Amino acid sequence: MVHLSKVPKNAEIHKPPHGHEKVEIADAIHNEATSSVYGSRFAAEDLPKHEMPEQEMPKEVAYRMIKDDLSLDGNPMLNLASFVTTYMEEEAEKLMMEALPKNFIDYEEYPQSAEIAIILGTLALKKRWQNKRKAKGKASDKPNIIMSSAVQAARYLDVEERYVYCTTDRFVIDPEEAVKLVDENTIGMCVILGSTYTGEYEDVKAVNDLLIAKKIECDIHVDAASGGFVAPFLTPELEWDFRLERVVSINTSGHKYGLVYPGIGWVVWRSAEHLPQELVFNINYLGADQASFTLNFSKGASQVIGQYYQLIRLGKRGYRAIMLNLRRTADYLTISLKQMGFIIMSKGDGQGLPLVAFRLNAEHHHHYDEFAIAHHLRERGWIVPAYTMAPHAEKLKLMRVVVREDFSLSRCDQLVSDIKATVDQLNSMDKQTMDDHLDRLKQNRTAHKRPYNVPKYKNEKHSLQGKSGKTHAVC
């Protein structure tokens, strides 16, 4: 179950409960080195509820504070209002715990996220546009949305997707082209803060400013699935959020750079007027009045608790330190790959996500491609995806390394060493030997690979992949 919640203003946060006056207590003296959890300064403070703390909190303290707070919840086994399972055997619980880092949505290669949050944001745009059209007595049966071909946000919503296609030297949306596509049936525009292909941030501010300059009424949804937890800490001066007039909603994924296991995402609206009331369900059959806007109802609380733990445990300073380390590692990997002769396609030094997208230099006329390197790295245990660029630039092949929290500098050195060994091995082979070797590798992999799950739907023609043979890169 996903519940709606209003973000309070500062005056509301500091206001004492009705009928009570705020009580001031004297400061205590705490020795962090010797104090127990309840003798630390954190036990004498309110748990952060509305904003990330500036500094970190010891992990033992964060655990105990959250555990104590959760102890006020009811016992799930005594909740006779819900159909949800409240007991499983210990062995099942162990298996579920061991599977927490895995993402079910990708059967084969790499975690790929089913972004419900962006669909909810798009659905709100569509309903708001329909309401405006109906109020003016105009038709509302042909909505469209403008977006880069690197995202699919409207596939299930009966909305025409108008793509701004990539080129061989531009891998993100072009603001001028995007604005030209807007017409009276445009429900809004989706701009990506961190492309899945190269990690580059699309220029939300340029799109916003063009819409205002041209006096075009068009709302912006920012898909910040990856960049929402990166940009605020590495480039806080970058304007991509509600500082921009036309940005009305933002989604981000806690299970990416929010540092939580798969299964949690967020969508935030500028104000209640941007989430039409008819999309909200009000329910009370679980014992309390609740407002909900969701595509999946019953859902475990573990990821939400995990996200809250990370926010108060790390604080802004902790997240900033982690993101800085990720950026340094990405920049280090970039330099190492450049030295091996690869062409770098991603943006470094904080201008995009902490990832490295790279390709072979065509001028060197290699007798192998990026897919061959990926297959050989798989033999060494690495999953470094190779793929073709988005439609209209699909002649470009590239590889991508996502730098995550557990990708240390020493592990990066190991990857660099294995890439160099792989390239040396491929260079030492003639083309026929290399092709034969790759065939054997593919046969070994496909022998254990699941077949396409539902053959009836394999040749559809309505999606970006069905129309062009190409979809977005793995997330």
Side-chain angles (χ1 to χ4, degrees):
M1 176 63 69
V2 179
H3 302 299
L4 293 174
S5 179
K6 180 179 181 292
V7 178
K9 299 178 180 179
N10 287 339
E12 297 171 320
I13 292 174
H14 301 295
K15 187 177 180 180
H18 180 70
H20 294 76
E21 295 183 1
K22 186 172 179 61
V23 178
E24 301 291 341
I25 58 174
D27 292 334
I29 299 175
H30 302 291
N31 184 338
E32 301 294 350
T34 59
S35 291
S36 70
V37 170
Y38 300 108
S40 69
R41 65 179 176 85
F42 302 100
E45 299 173 352
D46 288 334
L47 268 177
K49 291 183 175 65
H50 306 290
E51 185 178 358
M52 291 173 65
E54 290 294 333
Q55 299 184 3
E56 304 91 331
M57 179 186 296
K59 59 180 183 292
E60 299 85 359
V61 175
Y63 170 79
R64 175 50 61 180
M65 295 291 100
I66 295 175
K67 183 176 176 65
D68 288 354
D69 206 45
L70 292 174
S71 68
L72 300 175
D73 288 348
N75 183 341
M77 298 180 71
L78 302 182
N79 178 6
L80 305 184
S82 174
F83 290 93
V84 175
T85 298
T86 55
Y87 167 78
M88 294 181 71
E89 292 178 339
E90 184 179 351
E91 288 75 11
E93 291 180 349
K94 287 180 180 178
L95 286 172
M96 292 177 72
M97 289 296 295
E98 292 166 3
L100 278 176
K102 299 180 181 180
N103 198 333
F104 170 74
I105 200 64
D106 181 20
Y107 301 114
E108 163 62 19
E109 187 98 328
Y110 190 84
Q112 182 177 355
S113 302
E115 297 294 354
I116 293 176
I118 188 174
I119 295 175
L120 295 177
T122 305
L123 185 58
L125 287 176
K126 177 184 177 182
K127 180 59 69 174
R128 192 162 182 260
W129 171 82
Q130 287 177 327
N131 290 345
K132 287 181 178 179
R133 298 283 292 177
K134 291 175 182 177
K136 296 177 181 179
K138 296 182 178 182
S140 61
D141 59 337
K142 295 182 179 179
N144 67 69
I145 186 169
I146 316 299
M147 65 181 75
S148 163
S149 56
V151 65
Q152 296 183 70
R155 184 169 179 177
Y156 303 114
L157 305 177
D158 197 23
V159 175
E160 176 195 353
E161 295 166 318
R162 292 189 175 179
Y163 295 114
V164 179
Y165 289 99
C166 300
T167 67
T168 54
D169 57 4
R170 175 182 53 76
F171 311 128
V172 292
I173 201 170
D174 178 273
E176 289 279 0
E177 281 191 37
V179 171
K180 287 178 183 178
L181 291 174
V182 177
D183 62 21
E184 65 175 357
N185 291 319
T186 300
I187 66 172
M189 193 177 300
C190 180
V191 188
I192 310 170
L193 192 72
S195 162
T196 56
Y197 285 101
T198 64
E200 186 177 352
Y201 297 148
E202 295 187 333
D203 196 339
V204 186
K205 188 176 189 304
V207 173
N208 176 86
D209 293 350
L210 275 172
L211 290 171
I212 293 174
K214 295 177 181 292
K215 298 181 179 179
I216 298 174
E217 291 295 325
C218 180
D219 292 335
I220 298 173
H221 173 84
V222 179
D223 177 9
S226 296
F229 273 96
V230 178
F233 302 108
L234 293 185
T235 51
E237 71 283 357
L238 181 68
E239 293 183 42
W240 59 272
D241 47 25
F242 295 132
R243 286 172 287 183
L244 302 177
E245 179 183 334
R246 295 298 172 84
V247 174
V248 300
S249 54
I250 300 169
N251 73 276
T252 190
S253 296
H255 57 241
K256 292 181 179 176
Y257 290 105
L259 310 181
V260 180
Y261 285 144
I264 187 166
W266 313 93
V267 59
V268 185
W269 284 271
R270 175 184 285 273
S271 65
E273 69 177 282
H274 297 289
L275 176 55
Q277 188 171 1
E278 57 265 44
L279 292 177
V280 177
F281 290 89
N282 288 298
I283 54 176
N284 62 12
Y285 69 90
L286 291 180
D289 291 329
Q290 300 163 352
S292 175
F293 176 37
T294 181
L295 298 181
N296 64 328
F297 285 84
S298 298
K299 179 177 174 59
S302 58
Q303 282 92 356
V304 177
I305 294 168
Q307 183 73 82
Y308 183 54
Y309 171 87
Q310 293 286 52
L311 293 176
I312 70 169
R313 157 77 177 107
L314 296 172
K316 296 176 184 177
R317 189 171 72 176
Y319 267 91
R320 188 176 300 112
I322 290 172
M323 298 307 155
L324 282 170
N325 275 344
L326 299 187
R327 188 184 75 181
R328 292 187 190 103
T329 302
D331 290 345
Y332 175 81
L333 179 58
T334 296
I335 294 170
S336 301
L337 290 171
K338 276 184 178 178
Q339 291 174 350
M340 281 190 267
F342 287 101
I343 293 177
I344 305 301
M345 302 175 68
S346 48
K347 298 287 187 180
D349 197 29
Q351 297 179 56
L353 302 176
L355 64 79
V356 183
F358 58 101
R359 62 182 174 89
L360 291 166
N361 190 335
E363 294 179 0
H364 295 168
H365 303 290
H366 296 94
H367 59 274
Y368 54 88
D369 63 6
E370 290 79 2
F371 288 90
I373 297 175
H375 282 300
H376 277 263
L377 286 174
R378 186 67 181 261
E379 273 195 308
R380 297 171 181 269
W382 298 102
I383 300 176
V384 180
Y387 46 91
T388 55
M389 184 46 79
H392 293 205
E394 60 267 25
K395 290 183 179 179
L396 285 177
K397 300 175 184 177
L398 65 154
M399 302 179 71
R400 188 195 67 191
V401 173
V402 177
V403 178
R404 299 192 304 272
E405 185 183 10
D406 56 354
F407 188 68
S408 62
L409 193 62
S410 60
R411 186 170 292 177
C412 182
D413 274 330
Q414 186 180 351
L415 174 63
V416 169
S417 177
D418 282 345
I419 292 176
K420 187 177 187 307
T422 294
V423 171
D424 290 344
Q425 182 182 3
L426 291 171
N427 283 333
S428 68
M429 294 180 178
D430 59 59
K431 190 175 188 310
Q432 186 59 52
T433 303
M434 186 202 68
D435 289 344
D436 291 343
H437 183 62
L438 283 178
D439 285 340
R440 287 194 297 273
L441 285 179
K442 292 176 183 177
Q443 288 172 7
N444 289 337
R445 287 191 62 196
T446 55
H448 303 286
K449 185 177 180 180
R450 292 181 57 172
Y452 184 83
N453 55 347
V454 188
K456 174 179 172 61
Y457 302 117
K458 187 170 186 178
N459 297 315
E460 52 83 12
K461 299 297 181 184
H462 55 271
S463 69
L464 178 63
Q465 180 168 328
K467 293 173 182 175
S468 66
K470 189 73 190 77
T471 185
H472 58 67
V474 289
C475 314

